[in-house]
């Protein structure tokens, strides 16, 4: 489907052309007419499907003709600063010729940024894209012009709930006019998202684009390893020819820093990114990576969702992600748009069951590669079958239930900082 079929305003078509979009993606085909018709939407789509433009385009189109000058018309709530910045960049590109304004609003910056946000929010930027905490900080001060707001978008809603933002979202919504159009996007649809949708949306139309399935073009390979094989293996894989852009994901800040230090010592072009880093430094690192001035980025999975960096050659899961959703988001960083991607996952002994659960979610096993000979063979891949009781210690008769490494024993979500 061509964009000309949507009957968009000419100034918006100019932006679409300037962004190099030719044909609408499947989610755009489905969502744009529905949003233009005024209906609420619950959409499951991972990043890389074009979902950002799917909601931005019809909203810009409707704002172009709007009379309410100096009022906020659309609010996009997102889990992370990086996603706010990225959506704002697409917004800037698409709306460039339209005169529709936008501002990203996220925490962690200096007083000058806060003052600029305050100005934009009190003068009514057309589209506001923000993280929950920062939005509440502004809303509490009563100058945010939301009386004429018509559109509320919750993006990466599953991620927001994982990060503990449920109450903040409700609080923000309590400030908004009741009559508005609501769009909720989520990579996955667990029951807690359905519940949020019941509270926020009115008779939504449901749009599903490949729920919980990674991009088909990603070649996924797992290495079953002992912990002490991970560093030599990652160094070996990073030496492959033709790699320009590699993302390595670790589960914790500590392992992110440690791995980056080891790789730096081995003279790789590498930086690490996690929540200990100031926002400014995070953006600088991301810009360097985007501009190909930095080859390897080691990150906690705060980066695994929503961030749109094109043409990543390789994603390495240095640790198995906590759950399937994180895995899908991580490997979704590669094989964007037209490119093919590769994702390697290191599965240590402790995380075999966790990885088997991910394979179950994928609906198929991930191919296991043999370790390179100089690294030596890893352990056998022998995850516990689902539903099978945990092993017993026959001598003492004590159950291993709740032992380290099983999913049930791991703390999840709840606003963890990565
Ligand atoms: P998203 O899923 O919103 O993160 O978008 C992924 C990438 O696809 C972004 O770089 C967009 O600029 C790009 N994109 C979105 N829609 C289209 C389209 N119709 N044609 C080509 N690229 C697109």
């Amino acid at each position: 489907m061509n964009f000309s079929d949507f009957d968009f305003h000419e100034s918006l078509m100019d932006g679409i052309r300037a962004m190099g979009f030719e044909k609408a993606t499947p989610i755009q085909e489905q969502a744009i007419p529905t949003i233009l018709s005024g209906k609420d939407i619950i959409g499951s789509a991972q990043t890389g499907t074009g979902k950002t433009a799917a909601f931005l385009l019809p909203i810009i189109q409707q704002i172009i003709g709007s009379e309410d000058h100096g009022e906020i018309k659309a609010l996009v709530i997102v889990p992370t600063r990086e996603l706010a910045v990225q959506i704002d960049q697409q917004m800037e590109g698409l709306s460039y010729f339209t005169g529709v304004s936008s501002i990203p609003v996220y925490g962690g910056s200096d007083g000058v940024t806060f003052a600029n946000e305050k100005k934009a929010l009190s003068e009514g930027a057309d589209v506001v894209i923000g993280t929950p905490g920062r939005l509440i900080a502004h809303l509490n001060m009563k100058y945010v012009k939301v009386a004429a707001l018509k559109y509320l978008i919750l993006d990466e809603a599953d991620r927001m709930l994982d990060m503990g933002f449920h109450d903040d979202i409700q609080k923000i919504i309590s400030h908004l006019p009741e009559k508005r159009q609501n769009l909720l996007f989520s990579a996955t649809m667990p029951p807690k998202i359905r519940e949020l949708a019941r509270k926020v949306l009115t008779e939504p139309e449901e749009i599903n684009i490949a729920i919980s399935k990674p991009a088909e073009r990603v070649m996924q390979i797992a290495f079953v390893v002992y912990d002490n094989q991970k560093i030599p293996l990652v160094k070996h894989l990073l030496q492959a020819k033709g790699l320009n852009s590699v993302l390595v994901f670790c589960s914790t800040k500590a392992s992110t820093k440690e791995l980056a230090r080891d790789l730096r010592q081995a003279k790789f072009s590498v930086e690490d990114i996690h929540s200990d880093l100031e926002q400014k430094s995070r953006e600088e690192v991301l810009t360097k990576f985007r501009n190909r001035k930095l080859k390897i980025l080691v990150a906690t999975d705060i980066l695994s969702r929503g961030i749109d960096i094109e043409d990543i050659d390789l994603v390495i899961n240095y640790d198995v992600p906590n759950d399937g959703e994180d895995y899908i988001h991580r490997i979704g960083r590669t094989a964007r748009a037209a490119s093919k991607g590769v994702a390697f996952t290191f599965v240590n002994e402790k995380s075999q069951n966790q990885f088997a659960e991910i394979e179950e979610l994928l609906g198929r096993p991930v191919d296991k590669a043999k370790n390179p000979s100089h690294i030596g063979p890893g352990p056998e891949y022998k995850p516990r079958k689902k539903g099978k009781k945990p092993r017993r210690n026959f001598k003492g008769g004590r159950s291993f239930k709740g032992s380290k490494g099983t999913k049930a024993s791991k703390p999840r979500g709840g606003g963890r900082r990565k």
Side-chain angles (χ1 to χ4, degrees), residues 4 18 57 70 138-139 170 176 225 268 275 294 313 358 361 415:
S4 50
L57 287 170
H138 285 293
L139 280 163
Q170 295 290 1
L176 308 180
V225 290
F268 284 100
S275 60
L294 171 70
D313 304 311
I358 291 174
L361 180 73

Side-chain angles (χ1 to χ4, degrees), residues 98-200:
T98 66
V100 174
S101 61
S102 68
I103 180 155
V105 171
Y106 45 79
S109 313
D110 49 44
V112 179
T113 315
F114 196 91
N116 287 342
E117 289 174 4
K118 178 178 171 184
K119 188 164 183 287
L121 293 170
S122 45
E123 288 174 5
D126 292 313
V127 179
V128 174
I129 302 145
T131 51
R134 187 67 154 212
L135 286 170
I136 288 178
H138 285 293
L139 280 163
N140 282 343
M141 293 202 254
K142 311 277 182 221
Y143 46 69
V144 184
K145 288 197 149 180
V146 285
L149 185 130
K150 292 196 175 59
Y151 313 98
L152 169 69
I153 298 98
L154 302 176
D155 196 15
E156 307 268 359
D158 49 354
R159 189 61 166 169
M160 289 205 276
L161 295 192
D162 280 352
M163 292 170 80
F165 286 140
H166 179 273
D167 293 352
D168 286 355
I169 293 171
Q170 295 290 1
K171 202 185 265 174
I172 295 168
I173 291 176
S174 73
H175 287 267
L176 308 180
E178 273 183 29
K179 194 169 169 318
R180 52 169 204 269
Q181 189 175 358
N182 304 289
L183 315 173
L184 181 151
F185 293 92
S186 188
T188 56
M189 286 291 157
K192 61 189 179 189
I193 290 291
R194 298 268 168 208
E195 203 187 312
L196 178 71
R198 263 196 301 280
K199 285 188 203 149
V200 178

Side-chain angles (χ1 to χ4, degrees), residues 9 11-12 60 63-64 69 73 91-102 124-127:
H9 200 277
S11 60
L12 182 53
I60 300 169
I63 292 176
I64 293 173
H69 298 293
K73 293 160 198 90
M91 174 73 201
E92 269 192 23
L94 293 170
S95 66
Y96 191 82
F97 302 97
T98 66
V100 174
S101 61
S102 68
D126 292 313
V127 179

